[in-house]
Amino acid sequence: MPGLAEPAALGLERFSIRTRESSVTQAGWRLSVVAREGAGAIVLVEIPGGSAVHRGDGVFLGWSQERLAAAFAALTPKDTDPPFETAQLG
């Protein structure tokens, strides 16, 4: 990942968040990351209407929306379990 040496995701957590644009509490995702340069987090807030806003803290402070979105996608833990399927009986 450009700008970070050996980044590793520490965890992904869902939490409630409020924005200035809305009086409604929304859900957000916080991805905690550690790299050789230090620790940081990327917060993803899904705005009603299909758009999303990213915010960077720590080593991600000052990054553009596009760069934060790419880092969030690259560092988010992938689900390696096979999809759940029900058995079809008789």
Side-chain angles (χ1 to χ4, degrees):
M1 171 163 306
L4 292 179
E6 301 174 16
L10 298 177
L12 182 65
E13 62 180 318
R14 192 156 177 89
F15 64 99
S16 299
I17 191 168
R18 296 200 57 167
T19 61
R20 292 183 190 128
E21 297 83 20
S22 177
S23 60
V24 177
T25 301
Q26 301 170 355
W29 290 98
R30 179 181 173 89
L31 177 65
S32 299
V33 178
V34 66
R36 212 180 303 163
E37 294 79 6
I42 301 173
V43 175
L44 167 66
V45 180
E46 298 164 337
I47 306 296
S51 62
V53 176
H54 294 82
R55 182 176 184 276
D57 292 329
V59 294
F60 298 105
L61 192 61
W63 286 29
S64 69
Q65 287 291 305
E66 295 79 19
R67 195 171 172 198
L68 288 170
F72 189 89
L75 293 170
T76 301
K78 308 298 184 256
D79 187 13
T80 58
D81 293 335
F84 178 75
E85 295 181 20
T86 58
Q88 292 185 354
L89 303 175

